[in-house]
Amino acid sequence: TFEVIFVGRSNVGKSTLLKNLTGRNVRTGKRPGVTLKPTHLYFDDFLITDMPGFGFMSGVTKEKSEDVKNNIVQYIEGHADRIMLAVQVIDGPAFVEITERWDSRDEIPIDLELHDFLEEMEITTIIAANKMDRVKETEKDELLTEIVEIFGYGTDENGESTGVGWKESGALVAPVSARGGDIRPLISHLKNEFHKMKRDDLFKHF
Ligand code: GDP
């Protein structure tokens, strides 16, 4: 089995993106802490896994939110041998503010924690920055650079920007708008990674 996992905070548009990419519906109306289990989409020996959304929402305690995160980590550890790729979906326009809010509470944002964990597990991770339709064309580059720098790309050992910009930062970033059906940058990253793994055949599922 060749598995690709999709991770992301609740409401970033992960279901919409998966629907767009595969034409199939994943569970919808899920709330963080309500669904702890991942959902699978099967395509022969190819498996796409929608991990439960994490983060806070009204009615969900911090403990429950931690449960979701721990479940995700456990799942990844348990299936590391077959997880070939991860797509980390973020809400592009909201991301900076969300991470700053965590930072001000002296906590590590879950998104960053997960990203580092995936890197430790040596799982190639594509950052899908969704909802880019909400960002002005002239502000996109600046926002994407800010996002990759938060993830630790394009920065020096002190975390200061090196000024390279998102495209040269080494991060795999796909600015997309799932609702608008504009997901080509994600498709081309997936195509590239499948090619590197000599699994060009998997591309037929998209
Ligand atoms: P999930 O919880 O991550 O699975 O998120 P959903 O796919 O359920 O989407 C959450 C909300 O974001 C819905 O209201 C979607 O219509 C909206 N949404 C999803 N993708 C986009 C997008 O590309 N642009 C905008 N503006 N809204 C989006």
Side-chain angles (χ1 to χ4, degrees), residues 48-77:
I48 292 183
T49 302
D50 181 23
M51 302 299 281
F54 52 81
F56 300 108
M57 272 179 90
S58 57
V60 177
T61 62
K62 193 171 171 179
E63 287 69 32
K64 202 78 186 176
S65 156
E66 280 290 307
D67 279 357
V68 177
K69 188 187 77 186
N70 292 335
N71 262 44
I72 292 171
V73 166
Q74 267 180 30
Y75 180 89
I76 294 170
E77 282 175 337

Short mmCIF file of all heavy atoms in Angstrom, two decimals, residues 48-77:
data_model
loop_
_atom_site.label_atom_id
_atom_site.label_comp_id
_atom_site.label_asym_id
_atom_site.label_seq_id
_atom_site.Cartn_x
_atom_site.Cartn_y
_atom_site.Cartn_z
N ILE A 48 -5.67 7.17 0.17
CA ILE A 48 -5.61 8.56 0.62
C ILE A 48 -6.31 8.62 1.96
O ILE A 48 -7.43 8.12 2.11
CB ILE A 48 -6.29 9.52 -0.38
CG1 ILE A 48 -5.47 9.59 -1.68
CG2 ILE A 48 -6.44 10.92 0.23
CD1 ILE A 48 -6.03 10.58 -2.69
N THR A 49 -5.64 9.18 2.95
CA THR A 49 -6.20 9.23 4.29
C THR A 49 -6.45 10.66 4.73
O THR A 49 -5.54 11.49 4.69
CB THR A 49 -5.26 8.51 5.28
OG1 THR A 49 -5.08 7.18 4.82
CG2 THR A 49 -5.85 8.50 6.67
N ASP A 50 -7.68 10.90 5.11
CA ASP A 50 -8.07 12.20 5.64
C ASP A 50 -7.98 12.13 7.15
O ASP A 50 -8.80 11.48 7.80
CB ASP A 50 -9.50 12.51 5.17
CG ASP A 50 -9.98 13.87 5.66
OD1 ASP A 50 -9.13 14.72 5.95
OD2 ASP A 50 -11.22 14.06 5.74
N MET A 51 -6.99 12.77 7.70
CA MET A 51 -6.82 12.74 9.15
C MET A 51 -7.83 13.69 9.79
O MET A 51 -8.23 14.68 9.19
CB MET A 51 -5.41 13.18 9.52
CG MET A 51 -4.31 12.33 8.91
SD MET A 51 -4.40 10.62 9.42
CE MET A 51 -3.66 10.78 11.01
N PRO A 52 -8.25 13.37 11.02
CA PRO A 52 -9.22 14.26 11.68
C PRO A 52 -8.67 15.68 11.81
O PRO A 52 -7.47 15.87 12.02
CB PRO A 52 -9.42 13.63 13.05
CG PRO A 52 -8.44 12.54 13.18
CD PRO A 52 -7.89 12.22 11.84
N GLY A 53 -9.55 16.66 11.67
CA GLY A 53 -9.14 18.06 11.81
C GLY A 53 -8.84 18.37 13.26
O GLY A 53 -9.51 17.87 14.15
N PHE A 54 -7.82 19.17 13.49
CA PHE A 54 -7.49 19.50 14.88
C PHE A 54 -7.67 21.00 15.11
O PHE A 54 -7.91 21.76 14.19
CB PHE A 54 -6.05 19.07 15.20
CG PHE A 54 -5.04 19.56 14.21
CD1 PHE A 54 -4.53 20.85 14.28
CD2 PHE A 54 -4.61 18.73 13.19
CE1 PHE A 54 -3.59 21.30 13.36
CE2 PHE A 54 -3.66 19.18 12.25
CZ PHE A 54 -3.16 20.46 12.34
N GLY A 55 -7.55 21.37 16.37
CA GLY A 55 -7.68 22.79 16.72
C GLY A 55 -8.92 23.05 17.53
O GLY A 55 -9.70 22.14 17.80
N PHE A 56 -9.07 24.28 17.91
CA PHE A 56 -10.17 24.62 18.80
C PHE A 56 -11.42 25.02 18.03
O PHE A 56 -11.36 25.64 16.99
CB PHE A 56 -9.78 25.80 19.71
CG PHE A 56 -8.61 25.49 20.56
CD1 PHE A 56 -7.40 26.07 20.32
CD2 PHE A 56 -8.73 24.58 21.59
CE1 PHE A 56 -6.30 25.77 21.11
CE2 PHE A 56 -7.64 24.28 22.39
CZ PHE A 56 -6.42 24.88 22.15
N MET A 57 -12.55 24.63 18.56
CA MET A 57 -13.83 25.13 18.09
C MET A 57 -14.72 25.21 19.32
O MET A 57 -14.44 24.59 20.33
CB MET A 57 -14.45 24.18 17.07
CG MET A 57 -14.00 24.45 15.64
SD MET A 57 -14.74 23.29 14.50
CE MET A 57 -16.22 24.16 14.05
N SER A 58 -15.80 25.96 19.20
CA SER A 58 -16.68 26.08 20.36
C SER A 58 -17.17 24.69 20.77
O SER A 58 -17.49 23.86 19.93
CB SER A 58 -17.86 26.98 20.04
OG SER A 58 -18.55 26.47 18.93
N GLY A 59 -17.18 24.45 22.04
CA GLY A 59 -17.68 23.18 22.54
C GLY A 59 -16.64 22.08 22.58
O GLY A 59 -16.93 20.97 22.99
N VAL A 60 -15.42 22.39 22.16
CA VAL A 60 -14.37 21.39 22.20
C VAL A 60 -13.31 21.82 23.19
O VAL A 60 -12.76 22.92 23.09
CB VAL A 60 -13.74 21.19 20.79
CG1 VAL A 60 -12.60 20.20 20.87
CG2 VAL A 60 -14.80 20.70 19.80
N THR A 61 -13.03 20.97 24.15
CA THR A 61 -12.07 21.34 25.19
C THR A 61 -10.65 21.21 24.67
O THR A 61 -10.39 20.56 23.66
CB THR A 61 -12.21 20.42 26.41
OG1 THR A 61 -11.92 19.08 25.99
CG2 THR A 61 -13.59 20.49 27.02
N LYS A 62 -9.75 21.83 25.38
CA LYS A 62 -8.34 21.76 25.03
C LYS A 62 -7.84 20.31 25.11
O LYS A 62 -7.03 19.87 24.31
CB LYS A 62 -7.55 22.65 25.99
CG LYS A 62 -6.15 22.88 25.53
CD LYS A 62 -5.46 23.93 26.35
CE LYS A 62 -3.98 23.94 25.97
NZ LYS A 62 -3.23 24.93 26.69
N GLU A 63 -8.38 19.57 26.09
CA GLU A 63 -7.98 18.18 26.27
C GLU A 63 -8.37 17.35 25.04
O GLU A 63 -7.61 16.53 24.55
CB GLU A 63 -8.64 17.56 27.51
CG GLU A 63 -8.06 18.04 28.83
CD GLU A 63 -8.38 19.51 29.14
OE1 GLU A 63 -9.47 19.99 28.73
OE2 GLU A 63 -7.55 20.17 29.77
N LYS A 64 -9.58 17.59 24.56
CA LYS A 64 -10.08 16.86 23.40
C LYS A 64 -9.21 17.17 22.18
O LYS A 64 -8.90 16.30 21.38
CB LYS A 64 -11.54 17.27 23.14
CG LYS A 64 -12.32 16.24 22.35
CD LYS A 64 -12.75 15.07 23.21
CE LYS A 64 -13.41 14.01 22.35
NZ LYS A 64 -13.74 12.81 23.13
N SER A 65 -8.86 18.42 22.06
CA SER A 65 -8.02 18.85 20.95
C SER A 65 -6.64 18.19 21.01
O SER A 65 -6.07 17.80 19.99
CB SER A 65 -7.92 20.38 20.97
OG SER A 65 -6.78 20.81 20.32
N GLU A 66 -6.13 18.03 22.22
CA GLU A 66 -4.87 17.30 22.41
C GLU A 66 -5.02 15.83 22.03
O GLU A 66 -4.12 15.24 21.45
CB GLU A 66 -4.41 17.39 23.88
CG GLU A 66 -3.73 18.69 24.24
CD GLU A 66 -2.35 18.84 23.58
OE1 GLU A 66 -1.50 17.93 23.72
OE2 GLU A 66 -2.13 19.87 22.93
N ASP A 67 -6.19 15.25 22.36
CA ASP A 67 -6.48 13.86 22.00
C ASP A 67 -6.37 13.67 20.50
O ASP A 67 -5.80 12.69 20.02
CB ASP A 67 -7.92 13.48 22.39
CG ASP A 67 -8.03 13.13 23.86
OD1 ASP A 67 -6.98 13.13 24.54
OD2 ASP A 67 -9.16 12.86 24.31
N VAL A 68 -6.96 14.60 19.76
CA VAL A 68 -6.95 14.50 18.30
C VAL A 68 -5.52 14.52 17.81
O VAL A 68 -5.10 13.70 16.99
CB VAL A 68 -7.77 15.64 17.64
CG1 VAL A 68 -7.69 15.56 16.12
CG2 VAL A 68 -9.22 15.59 18.08
N LYS A 69 -4.74 15.45 18.34
CA LYS A 69 -3.34 15.56 17.93
C LYS A 69 -2.57 14.27 18.24
O LYS A 69 -1.85 13.75 17.40
CB LYS A 69 -2.68 16.75 18.63
CG LYS A 69 -1.29 17.04 18.09
CD LYS A 69 -0.57 18.10 18.89
CE LYS A 69 -0.04 17.54 20.19
NZ LYS A 69 0.55 18.58 21.05
N ASN A 70 -2.77 13.76 19.45
CA ASN A 70 -2.07 12.53 19.83
C ASN A 70 -2.47 11.35 18.96
O ASN A 70 -1.64 10.52 18.60
CB ASN A 70 -2.32 12.21 21.31
CG ASN A 70 -1.67 13.23 22.22
OD1 ASN A 70 -0.70 13.88 21.82
ND2 ASN A 70 -2.21 13.39 23.42
N ASN A 71 -3.75 11.29 18.60
CA ASN A 71 -4.23 10.24 17.70
C ASN A 71 -3.54 10.31 16.34
O ASN A 71 -3.19 9.28 15.77
CB ASN A 71 -5.73 10.38 17.48
CG ASN A 71 -6.52 9.47 18.37
OD1 ASN A 71 -6.22 9.36 19.56
ND2 ASN A 71 -7.51 8.80 17.81
N ILE A 72 -3.39 11.53 15.86
CA ILE A 72 -2.76 11.72 14.56
C ILE A 72 -1.30 11.25 14.62
O ILE A 72 -0.84 10.50 13.75
CB ILE A 72 -2.83 13.21 14.13
CG1 ILE A 72 -4.30 13.60 13.84
CG2 ILE A 72 -1.96 13.49 12.91
CD1 ILE A 72 -4.52 15.09 13.62
N VAL A 73 -0.62 11.67 15.67
CA VAL A 73 0.78 11.28 15.83
C VAL A 73 0.92 9.76 15.92
O VAL A 73 1.76 9.15 15.26
CB VAL A 73 1.39 11.98 17.07
CG1 VAL A 73 2.72 11.36 17.47
CG2 VAL A 73 1.58 13.48 16.79
N GLN A 74 0.02 9.15 16.70
CA GLN A 74 0.06 7.69 16.85
C GLN A 74 -0.20 6.98 15.54
O GLN A 74 0.45 5.99 15.21
CB GLN A 74 -1.00 7.24 17.85
CG GLN A 74 -0.47 7.12 19.26
CD GLN A 74 -1.56 6.67 20.22
OE1 GLN A 74 -2.48 5.95 19.86
NE2 GLN A 74 -1.45 7.13 21.45
N TYR A 75 -1.17 7.50 14.79
CA TYR A 75 -1.49 6.89 13.50
C TYR A 75 -0.28 6.95 12.57
O TYR A 75 0.07 5.98 11.91
CB TYR A 75 -2.70 7.59 12.84
CG TYR A 75 -3.05 6.98 11.52
CD1 TYR A 75 -3.95 5.91 11.43
CD2 TYR A 75 -2.45 7.43 10.33
CE1 TYR A 75 -4.24 5.32 10.22
CE2 TYR A 75 -2.74 6.84 9.12
CZ TYR A 75 -3.64 5.80 9.06
OH TYR A 75 -3.91 5.20 7.86
N ILE A 76 0.36 8.11 12.54
CA ILE A 76 1.50 8.28 11.64
C ILE A 76 2.64 7.36 12.06
O ILE A 76 3.26 6.69 11.22
CB ILE A 76 1.95 9.76 11.60
CG1 ILE A 76 0.84 10.63 10.96
CG2 ILE A 76 3.25 9.92 10.81
CD1 ILE A 76 1.05 12.12 11.08
N GLU A 77 2.90 7.29 13.35
CA GLU A 77 3.95 6.38 13.83
C GLU A 77 3.64 4.93 13.48
O GLU A 77 4.51 4.19 13.05
CB GLU A 77 4.13 6.52 15.35
CG GLU A 77 4.92 7.75 15.72
CD GLU A 77 5.01 7.98 17.22
OE1 GLU A 77 4.13 7.47 17.96
OE2 GLU A 77 5.95 8.68 17.65
#
